[in-house]
Amino acid sequence: MTREIAARISEARLWDRHMAMARHGATAAGGVNRQALSPEDVAAQSELIQWGAALGLVAATDPAGNLFLRLEGTQPEEAPVLTGSHLDSQPTGGKFDGVYGVLAAFEAVESLVEAGVRPRRPIEIVAWMNEEGSRFAPGMMGSEAFAGLRSLDEVMAVQDADGISVAEALASTRAALPRLPEAALRRPIAAYVEAHIEQAPLLEREAKTIGVVTGIQGKRTFRVEVVGQDSHAGTTPLAERKDALLAATAIVQRLHALCAAPGPQVMFTVGRLVVEPNAPSVVAGRATFSIDLRHPDQPTLERLGDAIAVTCEDARGPCSVRITELVNAASLEFPAAMRDRIRRIAGDLGLPWLNLPSLAGHDARQLHSIAPSGMIFIPCRGGVSHNEAEWAEPSHLAAGARVLAELIAELASSVE
Ligand SMILES: [Zn+2]
């Protein structure tokens, strides 16, 4: 039976749907600007719901604004298999980030239907609300609320730059869409699978079509405030200064050396430095900088993150230093059984695959906390993403959908 469903995946149909979705929020430069809960997002959701209706899928939404299209199983009371991603984009986003996971899921379900397969478990295609965090920060709000990792009240209260809250934007979205039945948050899920473009160049470089995603690299972010003393640039002897900028740069150098030591997988970035009073003839009294630290391996991430305070202390000179940790998202590993399935199916389909971690965050992080989850990557040109030039080959989009189709068919027929 494997391959029979995959064989029905239509490369042309999948491609056409990408181009159709890309019209909602199309930018002059060929990209997409589709902010969460915007009129463009509504138009995209609306089109997806129509496609679903034509296929006999039942649409529903939950209190967090996540959208579901359900293919009923022979055992409707069983927990569903969920598959999808997001429809929102960055302001200068591309045609594939997020959308691909939703459309690959759709194509997979359509192939199942065409193959005459009635899955035991229901299968639901999902479009998570506000994955990007571009209009409403932070991202992945919809999946966080769904997984019970963030309260609905907290999500609803977040405002965009114009002071419009998620609650208000969601109300206008609901008013503009057909009336949909409400699905519950935190309901039991049998499994979650997300297909996505890689957003990095590894698959392309290795000439592999399918990325078997081992896990999602974690991230720790910090704010470091170095406090010295404002003083006269012409009269204060060097030896007596408490120069916060000098201390901050020394600390950054030391942190960089610390993080570079374990090898190329460590991502260490100081992307923001604010100097006060930031005047040419005043010794800086205060320097505040950001740290963004990432590594796919949790023990390494933990060790490096925990060494930051000591390193700052060692390099601070005559200044004082205060460190605040802002984000601590652990690196996670998807269940081996899920990765084995993806590898086996890719092998059966004759698709070259590669094990690789996801360097970017995805909704699968949230779902991993409540259900066996996994991700399938496909190459994107030059690894370019969050960019209007983002590009994926039609044949690669179809290949990922083939693996996904066989995978969800398996998961929806499994008894555990
Ligand atoms: Zn995405």
Side-chain angles (χ1 to χ4, degrees), residues 39 159 219 227 305:
Q159 297 187 347
K219 167 166 117 166
V227 180

Side-chain angles (χ1 to χ4, degrees), residues 6 8 13 39 81 90 98 153 179 286-287 328 342 370 393 398:
R8 293 185 184 262
R13 184 170 59 189
V81 170
Q90 291 290 332
D153 289 349
R179 210 181 149 67
R286 182 184 290 266
N328 186 349
I342 296 171
I370 57 164
E393 292 303 324

